Amino acid sequence: QLQASGGGLVQAGGSLRLSCTTSRRTSSNNGMGWFRQAPGKEREFVAASDWRGGNTNYADSVKGRFTISRDNAKNMLYLQMNSLKPEDTALYYCAVSRYSGSSSAPEAYQYWGQGTQVTVSS
């Protein structure tokens, strides 16, 4: 139901744009978010958007560098990542919340994509 794409290998300071395809039935009135998991670490919150896209929430580590957005007409979620750092290297997942808000809690999310790999070289 969720398909993330856009990952790749980029040098530090570079940019990537992740995309997540969903369905209207899955996400039309639901918040959506991005999470990431680096090798040997737990999955962590990156960014979230409420169902309209008007209320967003970011992890402190990505504030000012990443921007989450959504296009409900196209059933798409995006994550624009600028000024990438080696510590941003991880498998990035998109997810659909059970609720309409922009929660940072993984347990608030009911559907998860398969992940797209982002690797930032120094």
Side-chain angles (χ1 to χ4, degrees), residues 68-122:
I68 188 171
S69 61
R70 63 189 294 170
D71 185 339
N72 288 342
K74 297 181 179 179
N75 301 319
M76 295 291 294
L77 178 73
Y78 304 101
L79 185 68
Q80 177 66 43
M81 306 186 295
N82 298 328
S83 302
L84 282 161
K85 304 175 181 180
E87 51 264 43
D88 294 319
T89 295
L91 191 60
Y92 283 71
Y93 299 89
C94 58
V96 176
S97 176
R98 295 181 175 86
Y99 314 110
S100 61
S102 55
S103 176
S104 62
E107 55 269 25
Y109 291 79
Q110 57 181 336
Y111 301 117
W112 295 82
Q114 85 293 353
T116 184
Q117 179 67 39
V118 172
T119 303
V120 184
S121 63
S122 58

Side-chain angles (χ1 to χ4, degrees), residues 23-91:
S23 66
R24 180 175 299 277
R25 183 178 68 85
T26 301
S27 65
S28 60
N29 295 312
N30 299 78
M32 294 188 68
W34 290 96
F35 291 77
R36 67 187 181 186
Q37 187 168 18
K41 296 186 177 181
E42 293 187 355
R43 188 174 299 189
E44 66 173 0
F45 168 74
V46 177
S49 169
D50 72 350
W51 73 282
R52 292 182 176 179
N55 187 3
T56 56
N57 187 11
Y58 295 93
D60 288 343
S61 59
V62 306
K63 279 181 182 176
R65 299 188 299 123
F66 291 10
T67 303
I68 188 171
S69 61
R70 63 189 294 170
D71 185 339
N72 288 342
K74 297 181 179 179
N75 301 319
M76 295 291 294
L77 178 73
Y78 304 101
L79 185 68
Q80 177 66 43
M81 306 186 295
N82 298 328
S83 302
L84 282 161
K85 304 175 181 180
E87 51 264 43
D88 294 319
T89 295
L91 191 60

